[in-house]
Amino acid sequence: MSHKRIPKRKAAIAAGSVAALGAAALLLPNANASQTDAKDAAPKTLKAADASDLASLLATQLGEAYGGAYYDAAKQQVVVNVVGDDNNVTDAVKKAGAVPRGVDNSLAALKSAARTLKTDATIPGTAWSVDPKTNELRVTADSTVTGANWNKLTSTVDSLGSGMATVKKSAGTFKTFVDGGDAIFGGGARCSLGFNVTASDGSPAFLTAGHCGVAAKQWSDAQDGAPIATVDQATFPGDGDFSLVKYDDPNTQANSVVNVGNGQTVAINQAADAAVGQQVFRMGSTTGLNDGNVTGLDATVNYPEGTVTGLIQTDVCAEPGDSGGSLFTQDGSAIGLTSGGSGDCTVGGETFFQPVTTALTATGATLGTGDGAGAGGAGDASATAGAEPSDPAASDPAAGDQSGAGDQSGAGDQSGMGDQSGADQSGAAGADQSGTGADDGSGMVSSNG
């Protein structure tokens, strides 16, 4: 097979990059501004991709009064939690274009409570993240946490004080989503390719999950096929779940796109931080395309293999084989890499993702090919650029052919690596499996294969 992979698929549901708001547009009011001006200031209407920029700026400005922030998708506004009754702080939030909301816990206090959990209750099968909507830590225990471990967890949460954290039970078991089968293959394991990048030395590479990178050194794009890429760096467990895998052929050309099935791709234009409340899409080689929302940040997950920190928590479903797959927004922002969670795409569950921005910083890689393709292939994206996000044809690019392991293979052109739809993957996973797709009522099609 050729290692020069230039995808033939040109239809896309995203076009052009979304310009991040400049810091100058988000600066807090001048100290001489009147309180009357602040009261009259209307909240800004922002896209979710810009919410984290505004939240980060206010976090720096407000200090201990900052209690976190989240994105109100219905109103397209950023809600900022404020501790205390300092009118200057409230006015600053309003002048910045956000909506102030009084809360009891500062973000610093919540992070301190998370450190206590890490010290006193690091138990396999548990996870926690900061939930700014409830202004608490969201603590979850899977079905394996029982008896003394359950008592230890709940007593530790109680010791944090009232209103600091809540615990809930998950019916499933926390695990990394790696399994034997199709997509990208290494050492008998199957994972999904996340995003194509350029390594710091200029060589072509891709990002996937760290637990995939430690499972095997070499990876193929077909079951029992010859290796096409070699792991350069891998982090798992510990401070993340990501790996950088370099293509063995230095002439590999892999565009910065995610294949979402039915001959369509999403052009990836930039990497962005997640915001709680933001709608996201996940692509994986087992279950194909699914969507949901970000529910927590800075999550800690205690997998059987060890503790992983700094993850994104969502309610998007995933299953074994989806590990390493792309988490992205409809407008083309790379958000995360699938790590693990509980449940499946039949019953749902909690899922966790490695932030792409952190993985890029740690590995020294840059998004895209480094020769212009990383700009997202905007020229190819014009086919459906006029579609509105609310249009099912735009938000459901895989409708009609949601093949979980054929047309949507993570090793094929899911991320612009090559054109390996349907028949090309039949040796690994059988023919087109679109018959397993089921409309979940949200305009997306999910595959339970």
Side-chain angles (χ1 to χ4, degrees):
M1 77 184 73
S2 172
H3 291 175
K4 186 181 182 70
R5 310 184 193 289
I6 305 176
K8 299 175 183 177
R9 299 173 177 180
K10 300 299 182 181
I13 64 171
S17 61
V18 178
L21 292 181
L26 299 176
L27 291 177
L28 294 183
N30 184 284
N32 294 325
S34 69
Q35 291 189 6
T36 300
D37 291 340
K39 292 178 182 178
D40 293 340
K44 290 181 180 179
T45 298
L46 298 173
K47 292 187 176 182
D50 301 321
S52 60
D53 292 341
L54 180 54
S56 296
L57 177 69
L58 286 169
T60 301
Q61 296 287 338
L62 302 184
E64 288 295 322
Y66 182 72
Y70 63 91
Y71 183 66
D72 184 335
K75 297 181 179 179
Q76 294 185 302
Q77 296 172 350
V78 176
V79 179
V80 176
N81 293 334
V82 176
V83 179
D85 55 2
D86 188 333
N87 289 333
N88 291 328
V89 171
T90 301
D91 290 344
V93 172
K94 291 180 178 179
K95 289 289 286 183
V99 179
R101 170 177 175 247
V103 297
D104 295 327
N105 301 318
S106 68
L107 184 60
L110 292 172
K111 289 186 174 182
S112 176
R115 289 192 292 270
T116 299
L117 284 171
K118 183 177 181 181
T119 300
D120 298 339
T122 295
I123 301 166
T126 61
W128 50 82
S129 63
V130 175
D131 183 357
K133 286 189 175 182
T134 62
N135 190 228
E136 294 180 333
L137 289 177
R138 178 197 298 261
V139 183
T140 308
D142 73 14
S143 58
T144 67
V145 182
T146 60
N149 281 339
W150 172 255
N151 293 336
K152 182 177 182 180
L153 178 66
T154 54
S155 64
T156 303
V157 169
D158 290 342
S159 72
L160 301 176
S162 177
M164 186 63 71
T166 57
V167 185
K168 78 165 190 173
K169 269 278 195 179
S170 173
T173 301
F174 288 146
K175 58 186 179 294
T176 52
F177 290 129
V178 59
D179 201 3
D182 59 9
I184 57 172
F185 304 84
R190 178 188 75 202
C191 287
S192 298
L193 189 151
F195 299 98
N196 281 310
V197 297
T198 299
S200 59
D201 62 0
S203 60
F206 62 83
L207 293 175
T208 189
H211 64 268
C212 299
V214 301
K217 185 69 174 177
Q218 292 185 305
W219 289 85
S220 171
D221 58 359
Q223 191 173 31
D224 300 323
I228 64 162
T230 302
V231 175
D232 180 72
Q233 303 176 44
T235 297
F236 177 83
D239 297 331
D241 185 2
F242 57 90
S243 59
L244 177 70
V245 188
K246 291 184 177 179
Y247 291 108
D248 295 334
D249 183 352
N251 294 317
T252 297
Q253 296 181 28
N255 289 341
S256 189
V257 300
V258 175
N259 169 35
V260 293
N262 199 30
Q264 293 184 307
T265 60
V266 175
I268 299 301
N269 308 298
Q270 61 183 354
D273 293 323
V276 170
Q278 176 181 28
Q279 183 189 34
V280 286
F281 295 84
R282 180 196 57 73
M283 185 65 200
S285 64
T286 299
T287 58
L289 185 66
N290 289 273
D291 72 318
N293 296 284
V294 176
T295 59
L297 300 176
D298 199 19
T300 295
V301 186
N302 297 301
Y303 292 123
E305 300 92 337
T307 300
V308 180
T309 61
L311 301 183
I312 302 164
Q313 185 167 354
T314 80
D315 58 9
V316 186
C317 73
E319 295 182 9
D322 288 330
S323 282
S326 320
L327 185 74
F328 59 98
T329 62
Q330 188 170 334
D331 59 17
S333 294
I335 301 295
L337 306 167
T338 306
S339 174
S342 68
D344 54 38
C345 288
T346 299
V347 300
E350 301 83 16
T351 47
F352 302 94
F353 296 82
Q354 165 65 46
V356 168
T357 52
T358 304
L360 291 173
T361 299
T363 61
T366 54
L367 197 64
T369 63
D371 60 0
D380 297 334
S382 60
T384 56
E388 293 295 329
S390 58
D391 182 356
S395 62
D396 186 8
D401 184 10
Q402 185 67 24
S403 53
D407 196 36
Q408 292 178 342
S409 68
D413 61 337
Q414 173 199 342
S415 295
M417 189 171 135
D419 187 4
Q420 291 194 309
S421 62
D424 291 346
Q425 281 291 328
S426 60
D432 188 346
Q433 297 182 5
S434 59
T436 61
D439 192 338
D440 64 7
S442 63
M444 308 301 293
V445 175
S446 59
S447 168
N448 296 329

